Amino acid sequence: MRVLVTGATGFVGQHVCQVLSTAGHSIMGTTRESDKLSRYPGSDMCTYRMGEPLPEAVAEFEPDALAHLAWEGIPDFGRERCLKNQSDQESFFGSILMMPTLRRVVVAGTCREYGDLIGRSPGTVEVSPGDEFGRAKDALHRMLRLACGESQVDLTWFRIFYVYGPGQRRESLIPSLLHQLGSGQVPRIKNPDDAHDFVYVGDVATAFRLAVESTGGPEVADLGSGDLHQVQEVLE
C-alpha cells in the first residue's frame, strides 16, 4: 500500500514509518522542519505544515492510506496552540479526504480525551476532556467521523496512553529519569504517586501498521498496556 505519514520525523512517527516500510509498504512522510529531510536520504519525505495547501508531491504519491501523527508545538498544550492545531488539521483533512485514492485514515488521538478517567476502556466510554489538548483532539475526532463518513473513507482513531521509548524528548518522564540516573544524580520527581498506563512506542507503531492494513475493526481503540504503574515504581 501507499501510506502517507504526517509527523513522520516525530517521536512516534519515526517508528511508524520504520514498521510500515519493513512490512513492505511504500511510504511518503511529511515534516514541518526542512532541516530534517537530509536525515532520511532513502525515504520519500516532503516539507509540509498543517493548514497549508497540500504539496504537489503528496498528490503525485496518490496515497491509499493515511497515518496521521502530526501535532505542532509539543509540549505546549495551551489553548492558543491547541486551537491553531485543530483549525489547521481540519483544513488538512478537508483537502486530503478529497483525494480519490484514499481509502483508510488512522489518527493519533490521546487518552486526555477521557479527562480524569485512567486506564484503558473499550473505546465506547463517553469522553469528557479536562484540558485544551483533550478538547481539541475530541473536536477533531467528531469532525473527522462525519467527514470520513461522507467521503466513504474508513477511520480508526487511537486514544494513545503514556508512550515511551527510543527517540523521545529528554524532558519526558522516562528519558529524564534515565538521564539523571546515568549522570549519577538522584532523580527528582514531582508526583511519585501518580499512576500511568505506559505503552512502548514499538507497540504503538505496530498498532498503526495493523490498522492501516485492516479492512474493519472498531472506529475507536485505546493503545495502552492495560496496567497502571506509579512513577515511583518506574523509577525503582
Side-chain angles (χ1 to χ4, degrees), residues 38-79:
S38 61
R39 303 182 194 177
Y40 303 87
S43 303
D44 286 329
M45 200 78 62
C46 66
T47 304
Y48 175 68
R49 297 184 79 97
M50 290 286 124
E52 296 179 346
L54 287 178
E56 188 174 321
V58 172
E60 293 175 350
F61 182 64
E62 298 183 325
D64 302 304
L66 166 68
H68 181 67
L69 297 118
W71 192 267
E72 191 168 336
I74 293 174
D76 178 0
F77 296 118
R79 177 177 173 78

Side-chain angles (χ1 to χ4, degrees), residues 202-223:
D203 295 329
V204 172
T206 297
F208 267 84
R209 177 185 64 80
L210 293 171
V212 162
E213 296 171 347
S214 174
T215 56
E219 178 201 317
V220 178
D222 287 355
L223 295 187

Side-chain angles (χ1 to χ4, degrees), residues 8-160:
T9 58
F11 166 43
V12 179
Q14 295 180 56
H15 293 270
V16 170
C17 285
Q18 181 178 358
V19 167
L20 288 171
S21 180
T22 300
H25 298 289
S26 177
I27 308 300
M28 169 166 281
T30 74
T31 177
R32 66 179 183 273
E33 299 168 289
S34 58
D35 63 319
K36 289 187 176 182
L37 296 177
S38 61
R39 303 182 194 177
Y40 303 87
S43 303
D44 286 329
M45 200 78 62
C46 66
T47 304
Y48 175 68
R49 297 184 79 97
M50 290 286 124
E52 296 179 346
L54 287 178
E56 188 174 321
V58 172
E60 293 175 350
F61 182 64
E62 298 183 325
D64 302 304
L66 166 68
H68 181 67
L69 297 118
W71 192 267
E72 191 168 336
I74 293 174
D76 178 0
F77 296 118
R79 177 177 173 78
E80 183 176 350
R81 175 70 74 173
C82 286
L83 287 177
K84 186 177 188 309
N85 267 293
Q86 180 186 333
S87 174
D88 289 345
Q89 296 203 16
E90 287 175 352
S91 175
F92 163 73
F93 280 113
S95 298
I96 199 72
L97 288 175
M98 294 179 65
M99 300 195 67
T101 57
L102 191 69
R103 291 290 177 266
R104 188 141 186 80
V105 171
V106 185
V107 184
T110 173
C111 62
R112 295 193 190 192
E113 294 168 60
Y114 290 125
D116 295 331
L117 180 69
I118 60 175
R120 292 192 305 170
S121 82
T124 57
V125 173
E126 185 67 25
V127 298
S128 181
D131 62 12
E132 299 297 340
F133 183 46
R135 281 189 281 272
K137 284 286 191 177
D138 179 49
L140 188 64
H141 178 210
R142 293 174 187 272
M143 179 281 298
L144 193 53
R145 177 186 293 159
L146 293 175
C148 284
E150 292 174 355
S151 302
Q152 296 185 321
V153 172
D154 290 337
L155 170 65
T156 296
W157 183 273
F158 282 139
R159 292 184 180 136
I160 306 175

